[in-house]
Amino acid sequence: MLTLYHAAPSRSSRIITLMDEMGVLDKITVKRVTIPRRDGSGQRDPSNPHPEGKVPLLDHDGTLIFETGAIMLYLLELFPSTLAPKVGDPDRGAFLTWMYWYGSVMEPVLIHKALDITHPGLASTFRDHDAVIARIHAALEKGPWLLGNTYSAADLLVHSPYEWFAEMLPDDPLIKDWVARCAARPANLRTKTLDAA
Ligand SMILES: N[C@@H](CCC(=O)N[C@@H](CS)C(=O)NCC(=O)O)C(=O)O
């Protein structure tokens, strides 16, 4: 049995969109929990087994999986689809690179930028937002998706902060159009409607 601990809207919304994109929403139970929000609302939910009270968290028959990228890769293995190139596919390496780069580089860089934090050590470790933009732009030049012709979970994950925080969106038509394409996907729109309900 698969249970997703979800707070609407949040990083866990992306897991619901992924399940919807794969056509397997009926295979997962969504358990809504509360989390502390930046505006002071919400609170840690004692029913959430995540060790830090965060979302998303996936419970698969008692095994707990957390971190968005790990949950996505786990579900993509359980439910093979066009959302991830299979092992042996020439695009598999690029796909894994995007999935790990998102959590290890892109999100930290965006958080540093949003908090206006700079330090030579951060720049030498993560580079900066210009480097993030350049990397996405270079992929989309061969687009329309990060892996070329096929929309994948990498697009779902990597575009998401720009959809949520439009002020971070660079003035780059290639990237703006890609974010709009990702945001307009029916599964993404359905998650937004569910989250709003
Ligand atoms: N790196 C984690 C971050 C998870 C995370 O920070 N989630 C936020 C929601 S967007 C949360 O649960 N915040 C509540 C808290 O920090 O207590 C992931 O991507 O899964």
Side-chain angles (χ1 to χ4, degrees), residues 13-14 16-17 20 186-196:
S13 302
R14 300 177 294 195
I16 295 188
T17 304
D20 191 347
N188 194 54
L189 296 175
R190 280 193 290 271
T191 302
K192 279 197 164 145
T193 306
L194 273 178
D195 275 355

Side-chain angles (χ1 to χ4, degrees), residues 7 9-12 14 35-37 44 48 50 52-56 66-69 71 102 107 164:
S10 75
R11 285 172 171 89
S12 53
R14 300 177 294 195
I35 50 169
R37 303 279 183 175
R44 184 171 179 159
N48 180 359
H50 188 293
E52 294 164 26
K54 291 185 172 193
V55 293
F66 44 95
E67 286 303 316
T68 302
I71 293 172
Y102 173 81
E107 227 189 75
W164 294 335

Side-chain angles (χ1 to χ4, degrees), residues 110-126:
L110 291 180
I111 290 168
H112 300 154
K113 185 172 167 58
L115 299 177
D116 202 15
I117 298 171
T118 56
H119 186 283
L122 293 176
S124 69
T125 305
F126 299 107

Side-chain angles (χ1 to χ4, degrees), residues 4-181:
L4 174 72
Y5 289 80
H6 169 55
S10 75
R11 285 172 171 89
S12 53
S13 302
R14 300 177 294 195
I15 308 299
I16 295 188
T17 304
L18 177 70
M19 295 294 283
D20 191 347
E21 286 279 4
M22 294 194 292
V24 292
L25 259 183
D26 59 325
K27 302 272 192 287
I28 201 163
T29 301
V30 176
K31 184 166 172 9
R32 291 230 186 182
V33 291
T34 57
I35 50 169
R37 303 279 183 175
R38 277 203 211 117
D39 63 3
S41 67
Q43 58 194 355
R44 184 171 179 159
D45 194 322
S47 72
N48 180 359
H50 188 293
E52 294 164 26
K54 291 185 172 193
V55 293
L57 173 89
L58 184 68
D59 180 335
H60 188 194
D61 292 335
T63 297
L64 302 185
I65 304 118
F66 44 95
E67 286 303 316
T68 302
I71 293 172
M72 284 189 165
L73 291 173
Y74 192 89
L75 292 171
L76 288 160
E77 284 174 356
L78 275 184
F79 305 106
S81 69
T82 58
L83 272 285
K86 315 240 172 330
V87 174
D89 186 303
D91 285 335
R92 179 78 182 168
F95 172 73
L96 291 177
T97 302
W98 285 114
M99 297 300 283
Y100 280 83
W101 176 80
Y102 173 81
S104 322
V105 178
M106 183 179 174
E107 227 189 75
V109 164
L110 291 180
I111 290 168
H112 300 154
K113 185 172 167 58
L115 299 177
D116 202 15
I117 298 171
T118 56
H119 186 283
L122 293 176
S124 69
T125 305
F126 299 107
R127 308 294 186 255
D128 58 15
H129 194 225
D130 287 346
V132 163
I133 293 167
R135 185 177 280 236
I136 297 172
H137 181 97
L140 294 176
E141 278 182 325
K142 301 175 213 141
W145 307 110
L146 291 177
L147 295 181
N149 288 324
T150 309
Y151 173 84
S152 75
D155 297 288
L156 197 170
L157 183 61
V158 175
H159 97 279
S160 59
Y162 292 130
E163 187 188 338
W164 294 335
F165 304 104
E167 67 279 10
M168 306 286 270
L169 189 57
D171 190 18
D172 176 327
L174 262 187
I175 298 181
K176 281 181 163 172
D177 289 354
W178 164 72
V179 170
R181 276 197 304 282

